[in-house]
Amino acid sequence: MPVLENPTVRRRVLGANLRRLREGKGLYLEDAAEQLSCHAAKVSRIESGRSGIRQLDLRVLLDFYGVKDVKVREGWLALARESRRRRWWRELEDQLPQDFLDLIGLEEEVAGCRGFQPSVIPGLFQTEAYATAVIQGGSTGPLDEGQQTKVRVRLERQKALTGRWPELLNVWMVLGEAALRQQIGGRDVLREQLLHLVEVAQLPNVTLQVLPFSAGACKGGMLPFSLYSFPAPTDLEVVLLESFTSHAYLEGPEDTAHYNSVFDHVRATALSPLDSEALIVSSADELAHD
């Protein structure tokens, strides 16, 4: 019996938005299935991301749903092609949780990421020493094989910022001031991490802001989230919510609209990029002299 591959985030987003197109036209699964000469269950599997879709079938559905713009159609077709491509990190399926594999793939495939991380430096910006301390979770001693793999993959993910020219990942991240103060790995590790943050902030595809303690409460609460956007012209987005045990991906328009609003509020409340850099440098200096 064949093993069913877990759906990638890209495939889930593709399916969710095909469902949105269908429902927007007031059509049923059976209507789409009739166009593809298949059972409604197959269309349901495509829309849930459990099955991929052939280029020919996608063209039929785009015609049926009235998507005529050439550039928009090509965006959809490119999304479908990429959802079927096997990535380097799939070789690690037996070593890493599926949620982590999904996150790696998401960062490698999307065009932009905006988010808020109140208490920890995001993985895309972490130094090796800081990443090691985060993954150890307060324990001491050498890393086991699984932890070593996580550190290696976390550093590999960072190539999305510098190694995908001309398709670099555009990142706009707001950090809580607590992320600059929590001495994960100790004073020296944190200071090195903060100085690295200053270097990362100089990249043309990175915007970095800090939400200071003095800002008080903000819209949406002090909860971390990321908004990932796929390349134009598809105009598709997905929200990532991280917890201690899993990642949740929200693809509905009401969810993406809500978190876009929250991000707009957080970035407007945070320090400017220039003032944020000054606070990061000041925090690093304090660690050197205290």
Side-chain angles (χ1 to χ4, degrees):
M1 198 176 164
V3 177
L4 295 177
E5 183 184 351
N6 286 316
T8 64
V9 174
R10 182 180 285 264
R11 202 165 70 192
R12 289 208 300 268
V13 171
L14 174 66
N17 282 275
L18 281 174
R19 182 179 68 249
R20 193 182 304 174
L21 282 179
R22 175 178 59 77
E23 293 175 345
K25 294 292 183 179
L27 299 169
Y28 296 96
L29 285 171
E30 291 77 12
D31 298 320
E34 183 178 352
Q35 295 296 311
L36 299 180
S37 300
C38 67
H39 294 292
K42 176 180 177 179
V43 179
S44 178
R45 288 195 299 272
I46 291 171
E47 291 185 350
S48 66
R50 288 177 292 146
S51 295
I53 184 170
R54 299 182 306 164
Q55 296 277 297
L56 178 60
D57 288 342
L58 180 55
R59 284 190 170 92
V60 170
L61 289 182
L62 292 176
D63 288 339
F64 187 45
Y65 299 154
V67 179
K68 298 179 180 179
D69 185 279
V70 174
K71 289 185 178 181
V72 173
R73 289 174 66 90
E74 179 50 38
W76 280 94
L77 293 168
L79 191 62
R81 284 194 299 270
E82 290 297 306
S83 69
R84 288 178 170 272
R85 184 152 65 96
R86 189 171 180 83
R87 303 289 186 165
W88 64 267
W89 37 265
R90 284 294 166 189
E91 299 174 2
L92 303 172
E93 285 179 321
D94 60 340
Q95 303 177 48
L96 296 171
Q98 182 61 41
D99 286 339
F100 193 56
L101 292 170
D102 279 347
L103 178 58
I104 300 168
L106 191 61
E107 289 172 346
E108 209 176 65
E109 296 170 347
V110 297
C113 172
R114 291 165 294 140
F116 175 50
Q117 179 52 260
S119 58
V120 180
I121 307 299
L124 283 173
F125 300 159
Q126 290 177 3
T127 63
E128 183 173 356
Y130 187 92
T132 299
V134 170
I135 288 170
Q136 281 183 310
S139 63
T140 58
L143 300 178
D144 60 33
E145 184 177 353
Q147 291 173 325
Q148 290 175 359
T149 299
K150 285 185 177 181
V151 171
R152 177 169 61 85
V153 170
R154 183 160 298 185
L155 298 178
E156 185 73 20
R157 285 163 53 196
Q158 296 175 5
K159 291 182 179 179
L161 296 177
T162 59
R164 292 193 330 189
W165 184 261
E167 298 178 355
L168 296 176
L169 178 65
N170 290 291
V171 178
W172 190 336
M173 189 64 59
V174 179
L175 305 181
E177 186 175 347
L180 311 183
R181 306 294 185 183
Q182 189 73 24
Q183 293 185 15
I184 293 175
R187 297 169 62 88
D188 292 340
V189 169
L190 178 59
R191 182 171 186 274
E192 177 193 33
Q193 174 63 74
L194 296 181
L195 295 177
H196 178 67
L197 265 186
V198 174
E199 293 180 3
V200 170
Q202 309 309 310
L203 295 173
N205 52 311
V206 173
T207 300
L208 185 61
Q209 294 178 258
V210 175
L211 184 72
F213 289 140
S214 59
C218 61
K219 183 176 182 179
M222 299 296 286
L223 300 175
F225 66 90
S226 298
L227 266 162
Y228 291 96
S229 55
F230 288 87
T234 53
D235 194 32
L236 306 181
E237 290 185 314
V238 61
V239 179
L240 167 64
L241 302 178
E242 298 183 65
S243 70
F244 289 110
T245 57
S246 64
H247 298 158
Y249 295 96
L250 309 179
E251 299 139 0
E254 64 285 350
D255 294 315
T256 57
H258 171 72
Y259 282 97
N260 269 294
S261 176
V262 172
F263 179 77
D264 286 343
H265 175 81
V266 171
R267 70 174 176 81
T269 307
L271 299 175
S272 70
L274 191 60
D275 289 340
S276 296
E277 181 179 333
L279 178 58
I280 295 171
V281 171
S282 173
S283 299
D285 287 344
E286 289 174 13
L287 291 169
H289 297 115
D290 285 355

